[in-house]
Amino acid sequence: MNATIIGAGLAGCEAAWQLAQRGIGVTLHEMKPHKMTPAHHSNGFAELVCSNSLRSDQLENAVGLLKEELRRCGSLILRCADQTRVEAGGALAVDREAFSQAVTDAVRSHPNITVVEGEVTHIPEGEVIIASGPLTSEGLSEEIAKLFPNSGYLNFYDAAAPIVTFESIDMDHAWFASRYDRGTADYINCAMSQEEYQAFWKELCQAEEAPVHGFEDGRVFEGCMPVEVMARRGEQTLCFGPLKPKGLPDPKTGKEPYAVVQLRRDNAQGTLYNIVGFQTHLKWGEQKRVFSMIPALAHAEYVRYGVMHRNTYLDSPRLLDAYYRVRGQERICFAGQITGVEGYVESTASGFVAGVELANRLLGKPPVDFPRETALGALAQYVSNESVVDFQPMNINFGIMPPLDHKVKGKRNKNAELSRRSLELVDALREKL
């Protein structure tokens, strides 16, 4: 029994691991290092090309619930993330290089996984999971398009935030804290006065963008919007978004600044920090010029500037079922952001579900049906829900899960109860995995 997986990102590695752990021989194709994309910088598997944060780790948050479901189900990605985590308050953030190395080592050393380097331009025969990611190569994209002659792709653009060195941050204009003192004080908070913010905002709106073929503001996914696009929507937009000062009083004054730019640790050593919410496709020189107007970053040293790159995803409600299989061609599955799930953990979840379903099918076992009351099931059913007309990438959220059958006072309490319900269902299904 064998299966082929295309792509060694988060989804591909998770799917490969689940299959291999169940005794299925896996051929894992990865085009790096022979062919790289503008967003990739290393040869390792499961490279995190945007933030190093897997977002909230709290069960009152839907992505925190999804992480816990994956942990209980034996996820490789979550195991490696927990092993390489860095302090980030209530979030799960990782040392991206150590994380990638941990995943790479685990996958390459598994006796049931054979890694084949080089670009795939034809869909192989047999059982296949295509986890080629949002930066699928043109050759493979053309082959995938042939599967859906009457549908086609939807394209959107994604952006990565800049990373600066800790030693270049002016801490006279910044301090360590987490918003509302939740968790440990792991974020560097860079204060801006009203005058400083207004000058910064004007320059940001006028800054020169790097050329991106076919880019339109209206096609940018709201969850990963370039900071300059957000700024152009109004002077106060950033102050209610990534520069929100609420819950972050300046210890020097005891008062909340007009705006606060947050930096999050990007490696375990704490030598690198990324600028939270500053995904951008400005020219590199413009990034340095404009972002230097933030007082704490006036002399910042950039180890990576923000970049803009193309993302590709399927019109999945018309094309895929709840196991991420192609309708009518069930030997072919998709996993990861190409399916329209948005986010690192969500991509991992899709790879997990696709891998487990394929393994069970090859072993002659019934599929594991995660109900919509679970985060794993809710995400898979959203992606495959034919009633969704204007399909766009989706992060996991409690809104796509059925409500409780009883009232619970308070949002956090209600979310905690939704998570409790979900984890009970997941625990009951674990023996079928």
Side-chain angles (χ1 to χ4, degrees):
M1 293 178 289
N2 298 281
T4 300
I5 297 178
I6 303 172
L10 296 166
C13 287
E14 186 66 52
W17 185 260
Q18 297 305 326
L19 284 157
Q21 287 290 88
R22 290 162 175 78
I24 308 298
V26 177
T27 300
L28 176 61
H29 292 267
E30 171 54 51
M31 70 180 186
K32 297 190 308 181
H34 298 280
K35 185 172 184 177
M36 305 289 281
T37 74
H40 292 108
H41 301 276
S42 79
N43 297 335
F45 298 165
E47 181 180 357
L48 304 182
V49 300
C50 290
S51 169
N52 70 318
S53 173
L54 279 68
R55 312 198 321 275
S56 175
D57 209 24
Q58 309 300 306
L59 289 179
E60 294 82 7
N61 189 293
V63 75
L65 169 62
L66 184 57
K67 290 189 192 73
E68 184 58 24
E69 290 182 7
L70 286 166
R71 286 189 182 102
R72 296 190 183 194
C73 291
S75 164
L76 170 68
I77 297 300
L78 263 294
R79 189 187 80 189
C80 293
D82 287 333
Q83 289 173 350
T84 59
R85 69 188 302 154
V86 298
E87 294 302 324
L92 172 58
V94 302
D95 180 321
R96 69 177 76 218
E97 292 184 4
F99 167 75
S100 176
Q101 190 63 56
V103 176
T104 303
D105 290 346
V107 170
R108 284 192 177 274
S109 64
H110 200 294
N112 292 333
I113 300 176
T114 300
V115 176
V116 178
E117 294 178 348
E119 182 183 4
V120 174
T121 56
H122 297 283
I123 299 173
E125 296 297 321
E127 304 291 338
V128 181
I129 297 177
I130 301 173
S132 50
L135 301 176
T136 298
S137 68
E138 290 186 11
L140 183 56
S141 290
E142 292 174 0
E143 285 296 300
I144 293 172
K146 294 176 183 178
L147 293 174
F148 314 116
N150 298 319
S151 179
Y153 285 114
L154 304 174
N155 295 316
F156 70 107
Y157 291 88
D158 199 3
I163 297 176
V164 300
T165 63
F166 172 72
E167 64 181 5
S168 68
I169 300 167
D170 185 352
M171 295 303 294
D172 287 339
H173 297 279
W175 66 96
F176 282 96
S178 289
R179 200 181 302 275
Y180 297 112
D181 292 324
R182 292 176 181 168
T184 53
D186 300 319
Y187 290 81
I188 295 178
N189 300 278
C190 308
M192 299 180 76
S193 68
Q194 181 174 356
E195 295 75 15
E196 290 165 341
Y197 171 79
Q198 289 175 338
F200 164 79
W201 173 77
K202 289 178 182 178
E203 291 302 314
L204 181 59
C205 290
Q206 299 169 7
E208 188 176 0
E209 300 173 359
V212 179
H213 180 67
F215 177 79
E216 297 175 354
D217 285 0
R219 297 175 66 190
V220 179
F221 174 48
E222 294 283 340
C224 201
M225 184 180 296
V227 66
E228 64 273 12
V229 175
M230 193 182 304
R232 290 199 295 266
R233 296 191 171 185
E235 182 178 328
Q236 292 299 307
T237 304
L238 294 177
C239 292
F240 289 93
L243 274 68
K244 180 172 61 177
K246 293 295 183 182
L248 294 170
D250 187 335
K252 292 180 179 179
T253 65
K255 298 179 180 179
E256 292 176 351
Y258 189 81
V260 173
V261 176
Q262 286 199 303
L263 310 181
R264 180 177 54 236
R265 185 185 295 196
D266 203 74
N267 64 353
Q269 294 77 23
T271 58
L272 302 177
Y273 278 76
N274 65 64
I275 311 177
V276 177
F278 271 54
Q279 302 92 344
T280 180
H281 63 99
L282 294 179
K283 287 187 173 182
W284 290 1
E286 289 288 80
Q287 291 182 43
K288 184 171 181 61
R289 180 182 69 84
V290 177
F291 299 162
S292 293
M293 298 177 71
I294 301 166
L297 302 182
H299 305 289
E301 176 189 0
Y302 292 82
V303 298
R304 187 191 72 187
Y305 286 103
V307 295
M308 194 74 185
H309 52 85
R310 177 179 59 86
N311 274 354
T312 302
Y313 63 98
L314 298 170
D315 186 10
S316 293
R318 255 58 63 188
L319 306 175
L320 305 181
D321 65 19
Y323 307 109
Y324 299 92
R325 303 178 304 192
V326 176
R327 290 193 175 105
Q329 301 182 72
E330 283 76 14
R331 76 172 185 88
I332 301 174
C333 301
F334 284 84
Q337 283 189 248
I338 196 170
T339 68
V341 298
E342 175 62 23
Y344 295 147
V345 184
E346 291 84 347
S347 293
T348 300
S350 68
F352 173 84
V353 171
V356 169
E357 191 284 326
L358 176 51
N360 279 12
R361 181 150 45 95
L362 289 172
L363 294 169
K365 297 180 178 181
V368 178
D369 290 316
F370 290 95
R372 198 160 64 89
E373 287 80 4
T374 67
L376 284 164
L379 193 65
Q381 292 187 41
Y382 170 80
V383 165
S384 60
N385 186 353
E386 293 182 85
S387 68
V388 177
V389 178
D390 184 18
F391 181 66
Q392 293 195 24
M394 173 66 74
N395 293 118
I396 186 62
N397 61 84
F398 287 118
I400 62 174
M401 302 171 71
L404 297 168
D405 59 5
H406 58 280
K407 290 186 177 181
V408 176
K409 186 176 181 180
K411 182 178 179 180
R412 288 177 62 84
N413 292 335
K414 182 182 72 173
N415 290 348
E417 182 71 6
L418 287 167
S419 291
R420 184 195 60 78
R421 178 185 71 178
S422 173
L423 292 174
E424 287 179 355
L425 292 168
V426 168
D427 287 341
L429 288 170
R430 285 167 64 182
E431 64 182 30
K432 297 181 179 180
L433 298 173

